[in-house]
């Protein structure tokens, strides 16, 4: 594995950072918080579509640009830095990978062109595991009928298409369900830039051409697990990028804020805390990109690397949200300061696709270290 970005990847990162600095300033994020500004979201999405970002990780034969998961991760990271309110994360790292796993090339062209946004509906009861899936699929003529409820679906109330994982008599299956066919209840969340919804499917009829993987096909279990790994790693990259932004903001504040005639960052106690924050961010970023590389190269260690990355991202956000807030002092508690956007996004990232505690337990099982 090459742990250094290529020149093209560095150019992609710099270009993405430049675009987002203009297209997603803090004022846009604040407008989403205060006004639930859908116009701002749409304008940002149109900008990303115009740059072919949704097509980045889609194969050329399917209408995409044919780059890999690592390049998608670079974009996800840059969007995490600015707390971008966009359907890109769910569409590019949840729906698109599932369509690719299912060889559903007929639907990928619309995703790559930005005409369709989407998400993955797999969690039930807050558990992102295949054994937790109880949503039922029954044959109905040439298609299937789905009944059940999915929890914590990212963009569940606004996505055009949902890749729904349901269980038939013969096992798991995956279905592409239009957003208009489900009942989505938006959840009250601390971070409105990453909206979640509870999705209810009551007798939803799915035509045969929208069955991505039929129940009982062993590919369903494998595909769902692989897509969950991609989504989890992408979220880890996003969370760590948000934490890095918190760190940089806090570091600058420590340089600018004076007390007793000197910058507060010059005091040894604060230096130690800032050093700990920096170490946590770098450690988590390294593990997140290692996980991204294992996915990009389909390395056999991808499951282990994914859980390591998510656990480290959880540790990172816990430290950075606490210390970032405290080191800002009183101003850190104010609504007017932009710091809280990053704090809330980072905290939200810990709860999705399994907490750090869940992934440590999963890691123990994968390494054969589970207590007997």
């Amino acid at each position: 594995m090459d742990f250094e970005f290529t020149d093209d990847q560095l150019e992609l990162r710099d270009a993405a950072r430049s675009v987002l600095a203009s297209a997603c300033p803090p004022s846009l994020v604040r407008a989403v918080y205060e006004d639930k500004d859908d116009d701002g979201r749409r304008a940002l999405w149109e900008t990303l579509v115009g740059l072919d970002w949704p097509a980045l990780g889609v194969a050329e034969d399917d209408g995409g640009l044919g780059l890999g998961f690592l390049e998608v991760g670079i974009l996800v990271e840059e969007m995490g830095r600015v707390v971008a309110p966009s359907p890109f994360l769910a569409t590019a790292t949840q729906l698109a990978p599932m369509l690719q796993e299912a060889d559903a090339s007929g639907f990928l062209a619309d995703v790559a062109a930005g005409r369709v946004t989407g998400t993955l509906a797999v969690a039930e009861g807050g558990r992102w595991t295949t054994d937790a899936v109880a949503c039922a699929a029954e044959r109905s003529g040439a298609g299937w009928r789905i009944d059940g409820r999915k929890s914590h679906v990212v963009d569940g109330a606004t996505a055009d298409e949902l890749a729904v994982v349901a269980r038939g008599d013969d096992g798991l299956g995956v279905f592409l369900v239009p957003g208009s066919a489900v009942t989505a209840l938006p959840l009250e969340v601390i971070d409105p830039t990453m909206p979640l919804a509870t999705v209810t499917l009551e007798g939803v009829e799915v035509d045969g051409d929208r069955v991505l993987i039929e129940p009982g096909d062993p590919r369903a279990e494998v595909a769902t697990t692989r897509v969950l790994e991609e989504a989890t790693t992408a979220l880890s990259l996003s969370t760590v990028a948000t934490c890095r932004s918190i760190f940089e903001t806090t570091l600058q504040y420590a340089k600018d804020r004076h007390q007793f005639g000197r910058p507060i960052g010059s005091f040894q106690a604060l230096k130690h805390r800032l050093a700990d924050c920096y170490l946590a961010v770098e450690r988590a970023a390294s593990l997140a990109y290692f996980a991204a590389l294992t996915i990009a190269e389909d390395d056999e260690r991808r499951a282990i690397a994914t859980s390591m990355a998510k656990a480290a991202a959880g540790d990172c956000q816990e430290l950075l949200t606490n210390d970032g807030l405290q080191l800002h002092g009183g101003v850190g508690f104010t609504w007017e300061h932009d710091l809280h956007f990053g704090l809330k996004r980072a905290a939200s990232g810990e709860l999705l696709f399994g907490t750090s505690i869940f992934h440590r337990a999963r890691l123990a099982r994968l390494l054969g270290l589970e207590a007997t």
Side-chain angles (χ1 to χ4, degrees):
M1 289 185 178
D2 187 354
F3 288 93
E4 296 291 337
F5 283 158
T6 65
D7 290 341
D8 288 342
Q9 289 167 344
L10 288 171
E11 186 176 344
L12 174 64
R13 184 197 65 185
D14 293 343
R17 189 169 298 183
S18 176
V19 166
L20 290 170
S22 173
C24 187
S27 59
L28 172 60
V29 180
R30 184 171 293 279
V32 171
Y33 264 79
E34 295 180 344
D35 304 320
K36 305 294 189 291
D37 182 12
D38 290 333
D39 290 339
R41 291 175 190 265
R42 281 192 292 269
L44 176 59
W45 178 241
E46 289 170 4
T47 298
L48 304 188
V49 170
L51 294 168
D52 285 333
W53 283 19
L56 200 69
V58 178
E60 290 183 271
D61 291 342
D62 297 325
L65 297 182
L67 297 180
F69 183 75
L70 190 57
E71 285 76 18
V72 173
I74 289 171
L75 297 185
V76 166
E77 183 181 36
E78 293 307 315
M79 296 183 76
R81 285 177 64 93
V82 297
V83 195
S86 166
F88 180 83
L89 183 67
T91 301
T93 69
Q94 297 176 37
L95 176 64
M98 182 58 83
L99 294 176
Q100 290 173 316
E101 290 286 341
D103 296 324
S105 57
F107 297 104
L108 275 167
D110 285 338
V111 173
R115 292 188 293 268
V116 168
T117 63
T119 188
L120 177 68
V122 60
E124 297 185 27
R127 295 177 60 203
W128 282 268
T129 57
T130 55
D131 61 355
V133 174
C135 186
E138 295 182 357
R139 282 202 176 274
S140 177
W144 292 78
R145 174 190 173 98
I146 304 178
D147 290 277
R149 178 176 295 177
K150 296 293 183 179
S151 66
H152 303 87
V153 181
V154 181
D155 295 331
T158 56
D160 297 319
E161 302 283 354
L162 293 85
V164 177
V165 181
R167 189 177 300 278
D169 291 338
D170 297 324
L172 289 182
V174 185
F175 307 84
L176 190 63
V177 178
S180 58
V182 305
T183 301
L185 177 64
L187 300 178
E188 288 292 332
V189 292
I190 62 173
D191 176 21
T193 66
M194 187 180 287
L196 306 175
T198 297
V199 173
T200 302
L201 301 98
E202 296 181 346
V204 173
E205 297 286 344
V206 180
D207 294 336
D209 62 347
R210 283 180 160 265
V211 180
L212 300 180
I213 305 177
E214 283 215 0
D217 188 329
R219 291 187 305 149
E221 181 98 22
V222 174
T224 302
T225 300
R226 289 170 61 85
V227 173
L228 282 171
E229 288 168 357
E230 291 195 35
T232 302
T233 297
L235 184 62
S236 298
L237 284 166
S238 177
T239 299
V240 176
T242 304
C243 289
R244 187 182 296 279
S245 178
I246 294 170
F247 171 73
E248 291 171 352
T249 301
T250 305
L251 179 62
Q252 189 61 50
Y253 181 80
K255 294 177 180 179
D256 295 340
R257 176 77 167 91
H258 282 65
Q259 190 69 25
F260 305 110
R262 56 192 291 192
I264 62 172
S266 66
F267 294 110
Q268 189 175 35
L270 269 66
K271 286 182 179 180
H272 289 171
R273 294 178 68 176
L274 289 167
D276 289 342
C277 288
Y278 176 77
L279 179 61
V281 170
E282 290 299 315
R283 172 178 176 271
S286 297
L287 287 169
Y289 267 110
F290 175 68
L293 282 165
T294 63
I295 290 172
E297 300 184 7
D298 201 15
D299 190 283
E300 62 183 5
R301 295 168 291 178
R302 57 184 286 165
I304 291 173
T306 296
S307 284
M308 290 174 65
K310 190 60 165 66
D315 292 345
C316 182
Q317 70 80 29
E318 183 176 8
L319 179 63
L320 267 293
T321 53
N322 287 335
D323 280 16
L325 180 62
Q326 290 184 4
L327 294 179
H328 269 80
V331 72
F333 285 87
T334 62
W335 178 259
E336 291 76 17
H337 200 285
D338 294 336
L339 178 68
H340 68 97
F341 301 145
L343 299 179
K344 292 172 182 176
R345 171 63 73 89
S348 296
E350 161 67 358
L351 302 176
L352 296 175
F353 295 101
T355 64
S356 54
I357 294 174
F358 168 84
H359 280 282
R360 279 196 175 85
R362 180 174 183 260
L363 189 58
R365 291 194 299 272
L366 292 170
L367 295 174
L369 301 176
E370 192 172 22
T372 58

